Amino acid sequence: MCSNHGNRGVVYTGPGSVEIQDIAYPKLAIGNRKCEHGVILKVVTTNICGSDQHMVRGRTTAEPGLVLGHEITGMIIEKGSDVEFLDIGDIVSVPFNIACGRCRNCREGNTGICLNVNPGRAGAAFGYVDMGGWVGGQSEYVMVPYADFNLLKFPDKDQALEKIRDLTMLSDIFPTGYHGAVTAGVVPGATVYIAGAGPVGLAAAASSQLLGAACVIVGDMNPERLAQARSFGCETIDLRQDATVPDMIEQILGVPEVDAAVDCVGFEAHSHGCSHHKEQPAIVLNTMMEVTRAGGGIGIPGLYVTGDPGASTEAAKTGQLSMNFGLGWAKSHYFVTGQCPVMKYHRNLMQAILWDKVQIAKAVNVKVISLDGAPEGYNAFDKGAAQKFVIDPHSMVV
């Protein structure tokens, strides 16, 4: 069925370069095995993520030819014989984590570190280096395995298309930002510092508000992104200033510390102040320990890698960073790292969107682009555009 379709996708062709290329139309197969538990999706929306940008900048071990894209929302157009609870025509959100639903970690809800979908390590994702070799979804069509377990069906197709700019965030950045806030211990009345005003940082800020935080402070070096954070009620600090982060927080809160902190930057972090042009990969982690109160939590959804060929030091090329861990120990901090287990949160966050409890598309400043516009979107995002680029391969977004 549907094999007469062509397919095109966003392909990483080398550092700084992506192209739209003809790619294979997906099959219900994993290698040489039939995949009766999978579905083929007509991609409704697929988003450009900061994690994609790390690869495109050449800051990972990704090889040219990789089809990118792990933030996917689609319509089922074909399904395997083992798919029982989803139907042709359903519109679904695809968690960026691929999970089997059968292994120990999946059964415990840790779907970001499934044991059966990646021969190299625990955890898999679509279109990402070292994450199992799964074809990415920045394309017209994509295959999703273990569909009954992985996919979140939207209850009403018309409503889904009306709110698709918000719902497309459920595949990754909204749950990821929410996970960062929850694991940092954000509760009603909390004060929160979020490092990074990119889309995940903005999603973490909106999530902190949803969780009832009293004050959300966002730090970045990009004035446009800081303005975007202020647009929905966040306080901001400009990390290009020579003042210390504790001092800038004290100017807002009256004290130089917060209850919870969320690192939404990751391994390409830069120094603060006048030396902000210099890369310093552990600066955010060390700052978090400095500004988080004793006994507080630090959520780390920002990406850290074990292989970074573009790192500024030999140690950082293998993920070894100079952390002031003794400070964190002395202050009894706890740290939560790793991929967000999207399925832990996406149904409730869908309900928050459908019942207008959060305006996530507005918070992250969604801009819808065509598939052919993806290279330009990557370029603008790399230059610091205060936008979240959503690819609409079939012109389905109205």
Side-chain angles (χ1 to χ4, degrees), residues 32 42 58 167-168 171 215 233-234 254 271 275 322 335 349 356 366 381:
N32 295 321
K42 178 180 181 180
L167 294 171
T168 190
S171 59
C215 181
C234 298
S271 300
S275 60
S322 297
F335 304 78
L349 295 178
D356 297 320
V366 161
F381 191 32

Side-chain angles (χ1 to χ4, degrees), residues 7-32:
N7 196 17
R8 297 189 305 148
V10 181
V11 178
Y12 170 64
T13 54
S17 178
V18 299
E19 294 178 2
I20 309 304
Q21 296 182 1
D22 291 329
I23 62 174
Y25 184 82
K27 298 179 180 178
L28 288 175
I30 301 174
N32 295 321

Side-chain angles (χ1 to χ4, degrees), residues 192-194 197 202 205 209 214-220 225-238 248-249 251-253:
V192 187
Y193 174 58
I194 294 170
L202 296 171
Q209 293 175 340
C215 181
V216 180
I217 303 170
V218 180
D220 204 290
R225 289 182 171 182
L226 290 173
Q228 181 61 29
R230 288 192 296 272
S231 75
F232 60 97
C234 298
E235 301 289 334
T236 60
I237 57 176
D238 188 337
M248 288 188 281
I249 288 175
Q251 289 176 16
I252 296 169
L253 296 177

Side-chain angles (χ1 to χ4, degrees), residues 156-229:
D156 182 277
K157 288 189 282 187
D158 292 336
Q159 182 190 36
L161 290 173
E162 288 174 6
K163 290 182 173 286
I164 196 65
R165 287 171 174 82
D166 295 279
L167 294 171
T168 190
M169 299 303 145
L170 292 172
S171 59
D172 183 356
I173 68 159
F174 191 13
T176 292
Y178 189 84
H179 178 65
V182 167
T183 55
V186 177
V187 294
T191 56
V192 187
Y193 174 58
I194 294 170
V200 170
L202 296 171
S207 297
S208 295
Q209 293 175 340
L210 187 63
L211 289 163
C215 181
V216 180
I217 303 170
V218 180
D220 204 290
M221 302 172 190
N222 182 318
E224 290 76 22
R225 289 182 171 182
L226 290 173
Q228 181 61 29

Side-chain angles (χ1 to χ4, degrees), residues 45-85:
T45 52
T46 176
N47 317 327
I48 297 175
C49 180
S51 299
D52 298 320
Q53 202 67 268
H54 292 305
M55 290 187 292
V56 173
R57 290 187 186 121
R59 297 299 300 269
T60 71
T61 55
E63 295 287 338
L66 178 68
V67 181
L68 298 168
H70 56 271
E71 300 189 8
I72 309 163
T73 305
M75 178 183 293
I76 297 174
I77 59 173
E78 185 177 351
K79 68 175 190 174
S81 60
D82 291 345
V83 179
E84 296 184 66
F85 308 114

